[in-house]
């Protein structure tokens, strides 16, 4: 699994003209599911994300506080394009992205893990055409791949 985590001061997702989810301070997580991914990868990824200390703390450390320390929230958006392969030509290939049916199951499972810890977490809709708006705080963006954790 792959995730692009954006520390945000606000973020929202709109589907067919209606806001489907929005948060203030927290993480916007773009989540990609790859071929061969399963529940252990989702658990490993969420465990890492949920404990990431990338908020400034009271002592002036730029990376002292975790999401739970700042009363933050999470917005999760499915994004198979995190598996783009651009080695050949100019059109990306997505053959390393997971099978859509299995990817949706794992996306929903990941969202369940997030909501276990952050009950008010928001999500997009798997496979939908979504418009995502965000104010990146920092800017601060982290790329995670479970193959490298």
């Amino acid at each position: 699994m792959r995730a692009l985590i954006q520390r945000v001061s606000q973020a929202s997702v709109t589907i067919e003209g209606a806001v489907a989810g929005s948060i203030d301070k927290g993480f916007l997580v773009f989540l990609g599911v790859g071929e061969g991914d399963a529940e252990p990868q989702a658990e490993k990824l969420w465990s890492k994300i949920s404990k990431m200390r990338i908020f400034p703390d009271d002592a002036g450390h730029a990376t002292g506080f975790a999401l739970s320390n700042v009363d933050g929230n999470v917005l999760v958006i499915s994004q198979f394009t995190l598996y783009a392969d651009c080695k050949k030509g100019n059109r990306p290939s997505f053959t390393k992205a997971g099978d859509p049916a299995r990817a949706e199951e794992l996306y929903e499972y990941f969202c369940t893990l997030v909501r276990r810890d952050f009950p008010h977490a928001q999500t997009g809709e798997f496979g939908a055409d979504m418009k995502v708006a965000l104010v990146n705080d920092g800017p601060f963006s982290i790329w995670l791949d479970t193959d490298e954790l």
Side-chain angles (χ1 to χ4, degrees):
M1 293 185 104
R2 293 180 176 167
L4 176 62
I5 298 99
Q6 305 261 334
R7 185 180 79 189
V8 298
S9 57
Q10 62 184 25
S12 65
V13 59
T14 302
I15 303 170
E16 296 182 6
V19 175
S22 67
I23 63 168
D24 290 323
K25 179 181 0 181
F27 291 162
L28 170 57
V29 178
F30 292 104
L31 181 70
V33 177
E35 58 186 5
D37 284 340
E39 285 80 1
Q41 283 81 16
E43 293 162 7
K44 184 178 190 178
L45 186 60
W46 174 244
S47 178
K48 177 62 90 172
I49 293 170
S50 67
K51 297 173 187 147
M52 290 188 72
R53 298 184 334 173
I54 62 172
F55 289 94
D57 65 18
D58 298 335
H61 300 107
T63 56
F65 279 158
L67 193 58
S68 59
N69 300 121
V70 298
D71 196 29
N73 207 345
V74 183
L75 172 60
V76 183
I77 304 294
S78 64
Q79 189 170 0
F80 76 94
T81 61
L82 295 179
Y83 278 92
D85 181 349
C86 300
K87 291 179 184 167
K88 294 182 181 179
N90 295 315
R91 180 180 295 175
S93 167
F94 301 104
T95 58
K96 294 181 182 176
D99 170 74
R102 180 66 176 142
E104 183 173 10
E105 289 175 13
L106 287 172
Y107 167 77
E108 295 297 338
Y109 180 71
F110 183 87
C111 292
T112 299
L113 298 173
V114 173
R115 285 191 185 107
R116 176 194 65 202
D117 297 334
F118 294 88
H120 301 292
Q122 303 286 301
T123 64
E125 181 182 321
F126 187 90
D129 180 19
M130 297 176 276
K131 308 301 181 212
V132 180
L134 68 126
V135 177
N136 189 310
D137 181 20
F140 212 115
S141 302
I142 302 286
W143 170 262
L144 295 176
D145 187 318
T146 54
D147 288 344
E148 299 173 4
L149 295 179

